[in-house]
Amino acid sequence: MNGLPSLSGGTLERGNREKFVCEAAEVITFRLAESVEDLHRNDETRTFKPEFTHQVFGDNEVIFGYKGLKVDIFFTVGSLKQFVRVNYTDRVPSSVNVEPDNILKLLMDQTPSGFTTNESDFVLDIEKDRSFRPAGTLIACYQNDEKKYEIYSASFKNNQFRDFHSRMQTFILWYIDAASYLDSDDLSWKVYTLFEKVKEGNSVRYSSIGFLSCYSYYHYPNKVRPRISQVLILPPYQKQGHGAHLLSALYDDISRNSSVYDITVEDPSENFTRLRNYVDVLKCCRLASFQPDKLKRGFTQEMVDEARSEHKITAIQVRKIYEILRLRATDVSDSQEYRKYRLDVKRRINIPFLKEKRNFEKLSKFLKKDEFAAVMNSKSAENQQEFLQKSYKELEFEYRKVIERLSTHIPFP
């Protein structure tokens, strides 16, 4: 589907065929519409491109059959109702035996909430959008550059939210690789949504900014373990700190629940890992067990217990936060102090090597001497040292990014 069609026996020559092939990511544009004027102007602050198109247009991520193709997908800023407008300068001739891709059908197949192709209907949607209000429970508010934002939590028990989520989730196909829609019949899902609140005269208007979903799993014997699944801030609002506020609000909301053991993350991306590290460091740097004098004494169970109790952070993540904050508290100009820090981190990195070595020693009972020697040579001390050094440098590089961002918000204690 959606690759170059087979033309054996056809009449469209290869050179001409390629003229009718478009890169989907280049011809698709998302546009946020707050007013009717937004339908006919190119406001760069409200337009953005998809990152992935394969879940709609196939693995080749191309659209066949058109020249000068433009696919504009408009969303009302609050309720995210959609209008699709397709324009092109030419299409594959009807005289040949190949059909152009049915763009509207391919989009509709992946849009459960549907969309309109009638501009007049969408104009009405824009007018109705002024009265849109977020569904769920307001759990946090904040200001950024004099703009006001609100965060809500909701589940699929709420029918108003269920309808809104069916529209909001369409973005994941374009921005989260291999993403799938949530099962709205499963009430174990909880979704956190973020909105900008804008005052217009005597009324207010809401614009959708992003969302975060998490699923509550059972944890023996009498707890639950929420797992963060999908996180997305719409591109026009990225790199403005909104992701940190959204994740922090989730922590604060969940931490109040005594039945929660800790909060895990499903297959985190590099960007989300950095965001999580930053938020967790912000949370932990104020805790008693993470103060500089205690950090320099080494990692302790007290840190695990306090971080889990106060913020539901996992033990593995607590160790990472300890390493970031200890680096922050380390005087790297003091060679001895810096060396102690590096060795502490490398001992942790080396743990898998030690386990592997013990497993190979057990395996030696079942291998011939030459076979065992060959295996052990591949795990030489030189290779291990090289791996440790490379891993450490990569970690410190990432840790310093968090510390740099942290320094703009929290002064060094």
Side-chain angles (χ1 to χ4, degrees):
M1 181 183 78
N2 309 108
L4 296 180
S6 173
L7 296 178
S8 56
T11 58
L12 191 64
E13 295 179 358
R14 179 173 296 275
N16 287 329
R17 178 188 65 183
E18 292 174 351
K19 294 178 182 178
F20 289 93
V21 176
C22 305
E23 295 288 339
E26 293 179 4
V27 300
I28 296 172
T29 304
F30 299 122
R31 302 179 184 274
L32 299 176
E34 184 177 84
S35 65
V36 175
E37 288 73 24
D38 289 326
L39 295 176
H40 303 285
R41 65 183 175 194
N42 188 24
D43 184 349
E44 292 185 0
T45 65
R46 294 178 178 274
T47 62
F48 45 105
K49 293 286 189 176
E51 288 187 17
F52 306 104
T53 60
H54 60 88
Q55 296 200 89
V56 178
F57 293 102
D59 291 341
N60 289 326
E61 298 192 302
V62 297
I63 302 174
F64 171 76
Y66 307 89
K67 288 182 182 178
L69 179 64
K70 292 183 180 180
V71 181
D72 292 315
I73 304 178
F74 292 87
F75 295 84
T76 55
V77 293
S79 59
L80 300 178
K81 291 187 177 179
Q82 294 185 46
F83 162 54
V84 178
R85 185 169 65 196
V86 179
N87 290 307
Y88 50 87
T89 57
D90 195 10
R91 57 172 282 170
V92 67
S94 57
S95 58
V96 301
N97 62 351
V98 289
E99 290 292 324
D101 288 334
N102 189 332
I103 298 170
L104 294 178
K105 182 181 184 304
L106 291 168
L107 288 170
M108 187 63 77
D109 287 346
Q110 300 297 331
T111 312
S113 57
F115 55 78
T116 183
T117 56
N118 186 301
E119 185 172 319
S120 297
D121 289 342
F122 190 65
V123 168
L124 294 177
D125 287 334
I126 292 175
E127 293 303 317
K128 292 177 183 177
D129 200 56
R130 295 183 181 278
S131 61
F132 167 79
R133 296 294 180 268
T137 303
L138 175 64
I139 63 166
C141 306
Y142 64 95
Q143 282 192 222
N144 191 356
D145 294 331
E146 298 184 356
K147 295 180 179 180
K148 296 182 178 180
Y149 303 92
E150 294 182 350
I151 298 172
Y152 291 76
S153 69
S155 75
F156 292 124
K157 293 178 183 178
N158 185 318
N159 289 330
Q160 180 191 349
F161 173 73
R162 186 189 289 249
D163 290 341
F164 171 74
H165 182 265
S166 69
R167 298 187 293 273
M168 177 180 66
Q169 70 176 345
T170 58
F171 283 110
I172 69 171
L173 297 183
W174 308 99
Y175 292 100
I176 301 178
D177 193 18
S180 58
Y181 290 150
L182 304 188
D183 179 3
S184 60
D185 292 324
D186 191 336
L187 300 183
S188 293
W189 284 106
K190 192 171 187 179
V191 183
Y192 295 80
T193 48
L194 171 60
F195 301 88
E196 181 182 358
K197 183 180 181 180
V198 181
K199 191 170 184 180
E200 293 185 339
N202 295 324
S203 62
V204 295
R205 181 165 191 168
Y206 286 88
S207 296
S208 298
I209 291 178
F211 64 92
L212 183 159
S213 63
C214 66
Y215 190 89
S216 289
Y217 287 90
Y218 168 72
H219 183 75
Y220 180 85
N222 58 354
K223 299 280 187 179
V224 293
R225 202 173 203 184
R227 179 184 295 173
I228 296 171
S229 175
Q230 299 168 344
V231 184
L232 179 64
I233 301 296
L234 296 183
Y237 299 97
Q238 290 176 5
K239 301 187 184 301
Q240 299 172 32
H242 296 303
H245 280 287
L246 185 57
L247 183 58
S248 181
L250 173 141
Y251 275 118
D252 293 342
D253 183 52
I254 289 180
S255 295
R256 291 190 283 265
N257 187 345
S258 60
S259 67
V260 171
Y261 181 71
D262 60 16
I263 303 168
T264 62
V265 180
E266 177 185 343
D267 192 22
S269 66
E270 286 187 10
N271 286 337
F272 182 79
T273 297
R274 294 189 188 107
L275 172 64
R276 183 191 187 190
N277 289 346
Y278 170 69
V279 172
D280 289 354
V281 164
L282 273 178
K283 297 291 185 185
C284 290
C285 70
R286 296 181 176 89
L287 300 179
S289 60
F290 288 86
Q291 297 313 299
D293 59 327
K294 292 191 175 182
L295 290 166
K296 292 178 183 179
R297 297 176 200 163
F299 186 61
T300 64
Q301 185 62 40
E302 179 189 3
M303 295 174 182
V304 175
D305 294 341
E306 189 176 19
R308 177 177 283 148
S309 173
E310 294 295 322
H311 302 300
K312 309 300 181 184
I313 299 174
T314 66
I316 293 175
Q317 180 69 2
V318 173
R319 170 70 200 204
K320 185 183 295 185
I321 300 313
Y322 152 76
E323 291 177 358
I324 296 172
L325 285 174
R326 180 167 175 180
L327 176 60
R328 180 172 177 251
T330 296
D331 180 0
V332 296
S333 65
D334 184 327
S335 59
Q336 285 297 106
E337 187 175 338
Y338 189 26
R339 182 173 182 274
K340 285 181 181 178
Y341 171 78
R342 295 197 307 272
L343 290 176
D344 185 47
V345 174
K346 288 180 180 179
R347 276 193 292 268
R348 194 264 303 168
I349 299 173
N350 196 42
I351 290 174
F353 270 107
L354 297 176
K355 289 182 178 178
E356 190 177 44
K357 183 179 179 181
R358 288 194 292 270
N359 289 336
F360 278 124
E361 287 172 351
K362 292 177 184 178
L363 188 63
S364 67
K365 299 176 183 178
F366 307 97
L367 294 176
K368 295 178 181 178
K369 286 185 179 181
D370 57 338
E371 293 174 331
F372 180 68
V375 170
M376 294 310 294
N377 284 337
S378 68
K379 307 294 179 182
S380 67
E382 183 180 342
N383 290 340
Q384 180 179 342
Q385 198 64 33
E386 184 179 334
F387 172 81
L388 279 175
Q389 187 62 20
K390 181 175 182 291
S391 298
Y392 174 80
K393 285 184 176 180
E394 290 173 351
L395 274 179
E396 183 172 320
F397 178 76
E398 289 296 326
Y399 289 175
R400 289 194 179 280
K401 283 185 177 180
V402 177
I403 293 169
E404 182 180 355
R405 184 177 181 185
L406 188 69
S407 66
T408 64
H409 294 275
I410 305 294
F412 191 84

